[in-house]
Amino acid sequence: SRSRTEAALRTRTDARTAPHRRDMARLVLALAASALAAPPLASGPWGPRKPLANTASIHEDGDIRITLLSPRLVRIEQAEDGAFEDRATQAVVNRYGDAPKVVVSAENGATTITTEFLNITYDKDLSTLEIRSTDGKFEPYAFGQAQSAGNLLGTMRTLDQQDHTLPLNCTILETDWGNTCDEADCQCEWAVFSKTDGWAVYDDSDSYALDDETDWWAGESSSDKDVYFFGHGKDYKGALRDLAFLTGKGALAPRYALGIWWTRWFDLNQADASDAVDAFEDAGLPLDVFVLDMNWHTKDDWTGYTFDDRILPFPSDLLQGTLQKRGLATAVNLHDADGVAGFEAAYPEACAAAAAAGVTVDCASNETLAFDATSEAGFEALEDEVLAPLKEAGVDFFWIDWQQGDGHGCAGGPQNPTLWTAHVRSTDAARNGDDKRGMTLARFGGMGAQRYPVGFSGDVKGLTWPNLAFQPYFSATAANVGYGYWSHDLVGPAEDAELHVRWLQWGAVSGVTRLHDRGMSAGPCAADHTCAVDEPWKLNSTYLGAVRGALRLRTRLLPYLAAAARGAWDDAGSQMLRPMYHDFPDENDAYLNDADGHYPQYLLGPSLVAAPVVAKMDGDPETGHFANQTIWLPWSESVELASGRVFGKGRWSMDAGLEDVPVFAEAGSVIPALPGRNFGLGAAASLQDADTIELLVFLGANTTSGAGTVYDDDGSSTAYVSGDCAWTDATWTRTEDGVDVILKTRGVFSSATKRDYVLALANAPPLTSAVDGSSYDGASLTLRVPLKAPGLKDGDAATTSIPLSAARGGALAGAAGAIRRAR
């Protein structure tokens, strides 16, 4: 056809001119990067990179060095040759901070170091070192002591071919499981706190140091022993702040990552991809990210970097002309292990660049450019000559599907390709002087991976109810090492649509909502059409309606999630998805969630508790049956979003229908949300352009005030680091005549000054007198009132007074849910 011919001509023209454009772009980036004269981690969103500690914090005594990094964080080193490690390591990039007040004394050869909270003693040898609490927050610690039984656990590399029996206890993983996960080290990390003993340690002795100019590997640590002691008691948030002080912050992912992702391991051609997007839109399902699994490229085995023109002959037309034009971000899957083969389109440029930089490779004979994770020249040739053209074609980020062990130049353990591929690709933009947010989808590579969202949990062993129940626990527990964004394959077996729906519902209130059937659409099941396929638009109306409601809930909450993500960047002690005990450490019930799916709940942002259903219903979902869900709510009043039902503090048993995704707001809190119900394509990426934001307030029986925040930045760059962003704080209070709402803006960002705001009061009666533009939804018992926000700028405030006779709303609590169920 004429359009196909024109597309082909465009593609060929692009292919001829792309090298020239690429050379010019690289020159500009190279000049920008040289002007920075700093390693990538020093110029991005990860926080300070000052690995040399404050000299006032250091106490050196022969081959022992004690560094007081915070009032409760201590570095303990031993270097027999006296050459202590002052470089950054792959895990620890910063040690410089204010020096705590300290008193050092010596008596009979023993040294005592005392701070406000710690008493450290040793007698010439680390084997004698003990740390005691001066305020009773933790039990005594002796150097070399194993993590306590009360350690609240952390996370590990992957769930590949594992089920709900997988232990997160690193000792059990080592002794009973051989510490092997998917043919690699499990990279198991402990929490930096303990419920019972009040202390934890992180051992950085085996980490590799980073070069101070390039952030490339620079050899093993020079310290023989390098241990960090966390003595925070039940101040879990304080421990996580100290961890982020060391390892760096988790960067803000591009905003589209908060939306809905979709991918299949399937030979999708260009028409298939376009049809899938149409199907989402036609079914009223929101979508934000389209990912091509490994079928996109030519291959001899798993590795490939060139679009397979048999199925994707015009990749730029697909990525830019079809997907990005419709508001979607794009990604492709990579298996790097086999290197850049001679048949790859970018092989000549990559091989020449690597050879020029000193890599031994015979380009004339098309010798494969091997993947060596320790070769800086080889890796940069791969990034700059092979992957850069893919980005120019329209790839926004890469899914690093590393499953090939810990070799490829690496020593294993902390030095592994999983961490390093995420490190290099997440810092590529900073290395090149670009302010684009870096992101990968990759497995967890050990301490330091917290800096690089998003985590890919791999191929779970089976689609079963126990494995579903394990995932909320696994994701929340990862926050104990500051890892806040696990992404799971969200899919269900073809023979159990209920389980399919519940898996997608859990994903809708998780860190990342990524639908993926991971190749289960091929093989023996294809013959009898029993494969697990993630095409929710093909579900019957009952199940499709439940999935639609969950994905729309996710999209509706995007403004809240964006503010929560920024809050986690500002305060590493408040990860977006985290266990209940982070905020309620002294409540025994906050520890009820476990690997078996009991109390499958967690905090989602500052004001919500999510409790996805992970148990089978008591009968046919299509005939009105329910699944019983037991929850614990921490606030004096909590309101379920869907029903408006008000719960007091404590344990509750509730019945959940197929369409229910139990989410609870602290009564009175302000939840920013997108208005409406029918969300289409690309809502996440364009969030900053939303012309109206609803401020949802769920009234309890005794609610008299509340607050929340709308956050704005461009969603794609790191300009937020230097202050190109704004917050609009919303507070409301009960008055004698109704409700006063105050909006106040902090910071400068264009959309914050142009947007309209609407207060949406759930469980509220109608107005007692008319307000222009107001409306009342009798089905949801929600009052909507436009707020005064006349071009708010930094420091401006506006107040709206709303006449309302019964703003406490107790009489209407739960009525909206009863109406919905009756229907």
Side-chain angles (χ1 to χ4, degrees):
S1 68
R2 177 179 177 182
S3 61
R4 187 177 178 90
T5 302
E6 291 173 345
L9 290 173
R10 282 200 307 275
T11 302
R12 291 167 190 158
T13 301
D14 287 349
R16 289 194 298 268
T17 60
H20 305 291
R21 294 199 309 269
R22 198 155 59 238
D23 290 343
M24 181 60 68
R26 287 173 188 162
L27 175 60
V28 172
L29 290 174
L31 292 172
S34 64
L36 290 173
L41 287 173
S43 56
W46 303 283
R49 188 200 185 279
K50 296 181 179 180
L52 182 61
N54 189 330
T55 55
S57 300
I58 299 173
H59 175 78
E60 192 170 325
D61 184 3
D63 67 348
I64 296 174
R65 186 166 74 168
I66 308 295
T67 308
L68 287 304
L69 295 168
S70 86
R72 295 189 181 276
L73 176 63
V74 182
R75 186 187 191 195
I76 307 165
E77 293 174 275
Q78 185 174 49
E80 293 182 1
D81 61 1
F84 295 100
E85 184 57 78
D86 287 323
R87 297 170 294 178
T89 70
Q90 60 194 54
V92 176
V93 298
N94 183 69
R95 304 184 188 96
Y96 189 89
D98 295 335
K101 293 181 180 180
V102 62
V103 176
V104 181
S105 61
E107 184 176 352
N108 299 325
T111 301
T112 301
I113 303 172
T114 304
T115 72
E116 181 182 2
F117 302 116
L118 309 174
N119 184 270
I120 307 167
T121 61
Y122 66 94
D123 189 355
K124 299 179 183 179
D125 190 274
L126 277 186
S127 64
T128 65
L129 184 142
E130 291 188 351
I131 303 178
R132 296 178 180 271
S133 173
T134 63
D135 60 357
K137 295 293 186 181
F138 60 85
E139 297 297 317
Y141 162 76
F143 186 80
Q145 189 173 346
Q147 302 279 7
S148 75
N151 188 285
L152 288 167
L153 312 180
T155 199
M156 57 184 297
R157 181 178 185 273
T158 180
L159 294 181
D160 279 298
Q161 297 309 308
Q162 305 296 342
D163 60 19
H164 64 285
T165 63
L166 179 72
L168 297 183
N169 182 304
C170 301
T171 300
I172 296 175
L173 198 63
E174 174 74 37
T175 57
D176 296 352
W177 291 61
N179 194 34
T180 300
C181 297
D182 193 31
E183 301 181 5
D185 187 290
C186 286
Q187 305 300 335
C188 186
E189 300 290 358
W190 295 93
V192 290
F193 41 74
S194 167
K195 178 186 177 185
T196 54
D197 287 2
W199 59 262
V201 292
Y202 167 66
D203 190 344
D204 201 42
S205 305
D206 294 331
S207 282
Y208 277 63
L210 300 182
D211 185 273
D212 285 332
E213 294 184 359
T214 64
D215 278 330
W216 197 262
W217 273 321
E220 298 179 39
S221 171
S222 59
S223 292
D224 299 305
K225 296 179 181 178
D226 191 355
V227 173
Y228 293 84
F229 171 85
F230 293 77
H232 295 75
K234 287 187 176 180
D235 181 11
Y236 305 145
K237 291 190 172 188
L240 289 167
R241 292 181 190 115
D242 275 354
L243 178 64
F245 163 83
L246 291 174
T247 64
K249 301 180 179 185
L252 273 186
R255 178 128 342 114
Y256 57 70
L258 294 175
I260 312 299
W261 304 29
W262 187 79
T263 182
R264 290 185 65 192
W265 188 13
F266 192 75
D267 284 333
L268 295 173
N269 61 34
Q270 299 202 191
D272 295 331
S274 181
D275 289 347
V277 176
D278 289 342
F280 267 91
E281 199 164 34
D282 292 345
L285 300 169
L287 183 64
D288 298 279
V289 182
F290 195 102
V291 185
L292 293 172
D293 207 333
M294 63 168 291
N295 309 78
W296 68 272
H297 60 76
T298 56
K299 62 188 76 68
D300 275 345
D301 198 355
W302 291 82
T303 301
Y305 301 101
T306 305
F307 278 97
D308 187 340
D309 60 12
R310 294 171 301 175
I311 56 174
L312 299 173
F314 310 112
S316 293
D317 279 1
L318 171 65
L319 299 176
Q320 299 175 10
T322 297
L323 301 177
Q324 291 175 348
K325 189 174 181 180
R326 299 178 75 175
L328 304 180
T330 63
V332 296
N333 174 284
L334 296 179
H335 290 81
D336 292 294
D338 290 343
V340 183
F343 61 76
E344 301 288 358
Y347 174 82
E349 294 84 357
C351 194
V359 176
T360 301
V361 58
D362 185 356
C363 300
S365 65
N366 282 351
E367 180 187 2
T368 295
L369 178 60
F371 180 80
D372 182 348
T374 63
S375 169
E376 185 173 6
F379 219 132
E380 288 192 359
L382 172 60
E383 300 303 301
D384 297 342
E385 304 297 338
V386 179
L387 299 189
L390 296 178
K391 295 176 185 177
E392 291 171 9
V395 175
D396 289 303
F397 67 98
F398 297 104
W399 169 11
I400 306 171
D401 201 355
W402 186 271
Q403 297 174 281
Q404 285 75 35
D406 286 340
H408 298 272
C410 296
Q415 191 189 40
N416 65 82
T418 300
L419 174 64
W420 206 242
T421 48
H423 165 78
V424 171
R425 286 166 188 162
S426 296
T427 60
D428 256 344
R431 173 174 66 88
N432 289 313
D434 189 350
D435 69 351
K436 180 180 178 181
R437 296 185 191 180
M439 185 181 78
T440 60
L441 177 64
R443 292 167 175 85
F444 178 77
M447 200 68 85
Q450 303 96 315
R451 296 185 293 265
Y452 314 125
V454 165
F456 166 51
S457 68
D459 302 334
V460 68
K461 190 172 185 178
L463 301 177
T464 66
W465 287 98
N467 287 347
L468 168 61
F470 178 71
Q471 288 189 354
Y473 166 78
F474 178 82
S475 296
T477 305
N480 292 344
V481 291
Y483 200 61
Y485 294 96
W486 269 118
S487 170
H488 303 284
D489 291 347
L490 304 175
V491 64
E495 69 277 9
D496 192 343
E498 180 190 351
L499 179 54
H500 191 173
V501 167
R502 295 304 191 194
W503 224 303
L504 269 58
Q505 288 176 334
W506 136 240
V509 289
S510 70
V512 179
T513 308
R514 181 177 56 85
L515 285 65
H516 180 48
D517 65 31
R518 60 184 175 89
M520 293 178 289
S521 54
C525 65
D528 56 7
H529 305 289
T530 60
C531 297
V533 179
D534 243 334
E535 295 178 328
W537 54 88
K538 292 183 178 179
L539 294 168
N540 74 28
S541 59
T542 300
Y543 296 105
L544 173 59
V547 171
R548 184 188 293 119
L551 299 187
R552 287 181 176 180
L553 171 65
R554 176 72 177 203
T555 303
R556 184 153 161 70
L557 289 177
L558 279 172
Y560 174 81
L561 297 173
R566 173 60 197 243
W569 187 80
D570 288 327
D571 178 8
S574 298
Q575 291 298 312
M576 185 172 77
L577 192 158
R578 60 197 185 280
M580 302 296 295
Y581 50 76
H582 279 202
D583 289 39
F584 306 97
D586 295 321
E587 295 278 0
N588 287 332
D589 284 356
Y591 301 85
L592 289 169
N593 179 218
D594 63 21
D596 294 324
H598 299 114
Y599 294 84
Q601 61 181 86
Y602 46 86
L603 289 153
L604 186 65
S607 306
L608 296 179
V609 168
V613 177
V614 296
K616 192 169 180 61
M617 299 173 77
D618 60 7
D620 184 352
E622 297 190 68
T623 57
H625 287 78
F626 299 96
N628 185 259
Q629 183 86 322
T630 307
I631 57 173
W632 173 74
L633 295 171
W635 301 301
S636 59
E637 286 190 314
S638 301
V639 184
E640 187 186 15
L641 268 60
S643 69
R645 183 181 173 189
V646 177
F647 297 81
K649 178 179 178 180
R651 300 186 189 186
W652 293 87
S653 178
M654 60 181 297
D655 291 327
L658 184 68
E659 75 283 2
D660 290 326
V661 186
V663 179
F664 305 85
E666 181 178 12
S669 58
V670 177
I671 310 296
L674 289 175
R677 296 179 179 179
N678 187 19
F679 305 109
L681 307 178
S686 61
L687 181 61
Q688 69 273 11
D689 299 322
D691 55 11
T692 303
I693 294 290
E694 279 194 352
L695 303 175
L696 306 177
V697 175
F698 294 87
L699 297 173
N702 302 297
T703 315
T704 59
S705 63
T709 298
V710 178
Y711 173 69
D712 281 292
D713 64 23
D714 62 23
S716 59
S717 81
T718 58
Y720 66 91
V721 177
S722 56
D724 190 6
C725 54
W727 296 259
T728 301
D729 299 321
T731 59
W732 71 275
T733 54
R734 172 71 172 164
T735 66
E736 290 185 3
D737 301 321
V739 168
D740 281 351
V741 183
I742 301 174
L743 298 180
K744 185 173 183 178
T745 296
R746 297 176 284 128
V748 178
F749 192 77
S750 58
S751 63
T753 67
K754 302 174 183 178
R755 180 180 295 126
D756 293 328
Y757 293 91
V758 173
L759 181 70
L761 284 170
N763 287 349
L767 291 172
T768 56
S769 58
V771 173
D772 287 346
S774 65
S775 63
Y776 190 77
D777 182 351
S780 65
L781 304 181
T782 299
L783 170 66
R784 290 181 169 85
V785 181
L787 300 176
K788 297 175 183 177
L792 291 178
K793 299 178 181 179
D794 185 23
D796 288 352
T799 301
T800 304
S801 295
I802 301 170
L804 198 64
S805 61
R808 288 181 175 83
L812 299 179
I819 293 172
R820 178 169 60 88
R821 282 198 173 175
R823 287 178 172 175

